[in-house]
Amino acid sequence: MDMIYLLDLAGTAVFAISGVQVAGQMRMDPFGATVLAAVTAIGGGTIRDAVLDVGPAFWVHDPTYLTVIILTSLLTILFANRSHRMPPILLPLADAAGLALFTVIGTQKALAYGAPGMTAVVMGVITGVAGGIIRDLLASRVPMVLQKDIYATASVLGGVVYTGALALGITEGLAMLLAMTGVFTLRMAAVHWHLRLPIFVLKHHRE
Amino acid sequence: MDMIYLLDLAGTAVFAISGVQVAGQMRMDPFGATVLAAVTAIGGGTIRDAVLDVGPAFWVHDPTYLTVIILTSLLTILFANRSHRMPPILLPLADAAGLALFTVIGTQKALAYGAPGMTAVVMGVITGVAGGIIRDLLASRVPMVLQKDIYATASVLGGVVYTGALALGITEGLAMLLAMTGVFTLRMAAVHWHLRLPIFVLKHHRE
Amino acid sequence: MDMIYLLDLAGTAVFAISGVQVAGQMRMDPFGATVLAAVTAIGGGTIRDAVLDVGPAFWVHDPTYLTVIILTSLLTILFANRSHRMPPILLPLADAAGLALFTVIGTQKALAYGAPGMTAVVMGVITGVAGGIIRDLLASRVPMVLQKDIYATASVLGGVVYTGALALGITEGLAMLLAMTGVFTLRMAAVHWHLRLPIFVLKHHRE
């Protein structure tokens, strides 16, 4: 489990960075930015834990998560204006990895608490995308994950693959690997080719 | 209780439809629309269950709710562009019925867990309107229920009637019927005649 | 503890007034205003209690909180258009006092449930500012506390002072006094001199 814990912290850092990025676009001060980073990084898992009613949220008794968020935020702010020196593909790559990991961890946790498969998939999606949704709400913009190239869809896929693989008798390690690879690949393909599902439009609606 | 369970599922379907409608106006893809449908349909009850701390949210161990939401969303999307063939009064009617039912179920659940009457009324309101509020937040618009013709007010009335009727010794079935009829009638009257409570305006406020 | 309980109710009233104020700017009806008042006054503590998983939210079994909110809202609405007769400094004073108190109460509660210091500080911030954030989200504006003169920062300071003072062996009463004075003074100084932390801006970001 050490490996998963480390990956979880890495996902936390990545989502914290995306929170700081949005804060920078909104001209927030460093404390506001750290708040936005925390909401993005642990918001989804916190909602999951409250809905499943599994006890205090996962970060309450393990200050490592908050420490990672604070350090990541400070470093990101310090290097903010130099960030164009990073190859621009780095962040989407890390974000897709975070989405893949959080989705699988959320699904796993729900199954561990005896939730049915369908609920577990929903918990994976909540864990993967809810933090980003709250970040966007606080920043007064329509949540990206609801509109942009395949995002929530990749998270749904990951939960389905993971749950389905376990049901087929595949070992947990392999199921995780399959699911995470699926999420990551689909999300990166969507970023690269701007893949979208067809939208639908309501022509006639009541007002 | 079978009757109540069926009505609860019907209310879930109705609120899911309203989520898909908003998604269609925002040009979302089918997954985004289903997310919005789910938030609208089970968001209020989920918050209620977390605040009351009654264990996992009501839909966690009963996948029927999610199944209803997914099927309703798919059907609504498929028939989206034909929806003008439905008489336009159908949806407000169904929505008012959903509000009536969710209000009473929420009040009932809170009382069953020993909450005082005033708290129970608040829980009814949360169950009836919070899902729609979150839906509107995700769609970046001022929540309808806070501004429109009598809506939250009808929900408050329903909780008061239900709680008061029980306190007067009226049987549970009759109390439910009275409360639901009250919510439904007041809401439909508000839709028909555009009833509003008088608003108030602050002329002088700090900035 | 009676003193703290009374102060807590006073903080509830103060935050309820700020909710009604925002409602008045949005032309809401009295019920909408009371909903906004309640969200502002008990939203933060409710989230704290759900995240800590300490049982039903603090106001569920004590209707005094809801009573205070409803009475405060009605009185504020009745006197709304006369509010310019109050010296304009009164509200910021009361708001800063509420922030000071809620921050310390939130930190205290988290420590009482065995949370580490860093988590307790975060819980103080949630208790102090989350209600106002939700109020602003419902009113479709960027949350003030994330952008305005030092606000969340004052709350962080209060939690750190309180937790640090206890760790140094200072008695609880004195620690509370120190922390609340710190929050209150810093916040009022920020209001008076428009103090802000330096913001940072991201010049280059992905879109």
Side-chain angles (χ1 to χ4, degrees), chain C:
Chain C
M1 279 302 165
D2 272 353
M3 185 63 189
I4 293 183
Y5 183 63
L6 289 177
L7 287 171
D8 196 16
L9 293 177
T12 301
V14 166
F15 279 145
I17 291 174
S18 87
V20 172
Q21 279 202 316
V22 170
Q25 294 166 23
M26 292 176 67
R27 309 181 64 86
M28 286 186 179
D29 72 28
F31 276 96
T34 306
V35 168
L36 214 59
V39 158
T40 311
I42 59 181
T46 302
I47 294 176
R48 174 201 63 212
D49 288 352
V51 171
L52 286 178
D53 196 33
V54 300
F58 65 98
W59 51 272
V60 165
H61 291 293
D62 179 358
T64 315
Y65 289 95
L66 292 176
T67 308
V68 166
I69 290 166
I70 292 168
L71 289 181
T72 308
S73 300
L74 292 181
L75 288 174
T76 308
I77 291 169
L78 286 176
F79 292 101
N81 288 319
R82 302 179 194 169
S83 65
H84 56 291
R85 290 179 190 165
M86 290 198 308
I89 192 61
L90 263 191
L91 201 86
L93 274 172
D95 185 68
L99 179 68
L101 191 78
F102 277 18
T103 296
V104 173
I105 286 177
T107 309
Q108 203 172 39
K109 189 160 187 176
L111 289 174
Y113 278 90
M118 199 183 298
T119 301
V121 171
V122 171
M123 290 300 167
V125 175
I126 289 176
T127 311
V129 311
I133 289 180
I134 304 175
R135 175 199 64 209
D136 291 343
L137 286 183
L138 292 177
S140 289
R141 54 191 207 184
V142 177
M144 268 196 282
V145 307
L146 294 179
Q147 286 202 305
K148 204 165 113 137
D149 312 323
I150 289 172
Y151 196 105
T153 309
S155 181
V156 171
L157 176 83
V160 168
V161 167
Y162 179 76
T163 310
L166 287 188
L168 292 173
I170 291 175
T171 60
E172 182 156 333
L174 187 55
M176 286 188 69
L177 193 66
L178 281 174
M180 288 183 58
T181 308
V183 176
F184 183 80
T185 309
L186 179 53
R187 177 68 192 132
M188 288 313 296
V191 167
H192 190 70
W193 289 293
H194 295 291
L195 301 184
R196 300 197 54 144
L197 293 184
I199 61 167
F200 71 100
V201 178
L202 289 181
K203 287 180 193 154
H204 296 265
H205 58 83
R206 63 169 177 149
E207 190 50 44

Side-chain angles (χ1 to χ4, degrees), chain A residues 3-206:
Chain A
M3 185 63 188
I4 293 182
Y5 184 63
L6 289 177
L7 286 171
D8 196 15
L9 293 176
T12 302
V14 166
F15 279 145
I17 291 175
S18 87
V20 172
Q21 279 202 316
V22 171
Q25 295 165 24
M26 292 176 66
R27 310 181 63 86
M28 286 186 180
D29 73 26
F31 276 96
T34 306
V35 168
L36 214 58
V39 158
T40 311
I42 60 181
T46 301
I47 293 176
R48 175 202 62 213
D49 287 353
V51 172
L52 287 177
D53 195 34
V54 300
F58 65 98
W59 51 272
V60 165
H61 291 293
D62 179 357
T64 314
Y65 289 94
L66 292 176
T67 308
V68 165
I69 289 166
I70 293 168
L71 290 180
T72 307
S73 300
L74 292 181
L75 287 174
T76 308
I77 291 168
L78 286 176
F79 291 101
N81 288 319
R82 301 180 195 169
S83 65
H84 56 290
R85 291 179 189 166
M86 290 196 310
I89 192 62
L90 263 190
L91 203 85
L93 274 172
D95 185 68
L99 179 67
L101 191 78
F102 277 19
T103 296
V104 174
I105 287 177
T107 309
Q108 203 173 40
K109 189 159 186 176
L111 289 173
Y113 277 91
M118 199 183 300
T119 302
V121 171
V122 171
M123 291 299 167
V125 174
I126 289 176
T127 311
V129 312
I133 288 179
I134 304 175
R135 175 199 62 209
D136 290 344
L137 286 183
L138 292 177
S140 288
R141 53 192 208 184
V142 177
M144 267 197 282
V145 307
L146 293 179
Q147 287 202 307
K148 88 188 199 172
D149 311 324
I150 289 172
Y151 196 104
T153 309
S155 181
V156 171
L157 176 83
V160 170
V161 167
Y162 179 75
T163 309
L166 287 188
L168 292 173
I170 292 176
T171 61
E172 182 157 332
L174 187 54
M176 287 188 68
L177 193 65
L178 281 174
M180 289 182 56
T181 307
V183 177
F184 183 80
T185 307
L186 179 54
R187 176 67 192 132
M188 288 313 296
V191 167
H192 190 70
W193 289 293
H194 294 290
L195 301 184
R196 300 195 55 143
L197 293 183
I199 61 166
F200 71 100
V201 178
L202 289 181
K203 286 178 194 154
H204 297 263
H205 58 83
R206 63 167 177 154

Side-chain angles (χ1 to χ4, degrees), chain B residues 117-193:
Chain B
M118 199 183 299
T119 302
V121 171
V122 171
M123 291 298 167
V125 175
I126 290 176
T127 311
V129 312
I133 289 180
I134 304 175
R135 175 199 63 210
D136 290 343
L137 286 182
L138 292 177
S140 288
R141 54 192 206 183
V142 177
M144 266 197 281
V145 306
L146 294 179
Q147 287 203 306
K148 222 163 102 134
D149 311 324
I150 290 173
Y151 196 105
T153 309
S155 181
V156 170
L157 176 82
V160 169
V161 167
Y162 179 76
T163 309
L166 287 188
L168 293 173
I170 292 177
T171 61
E172 183 156 332
L174 186 54
M176 286 188 69
L177 193 66
L178 281 174
M180 288 182 58
T181 307
V183 178
F184 183 80
T185 308
L186 179 54
R187 177 67 192 133
M188 287 314 295
V191 167
H192 190 70
W193 290 293

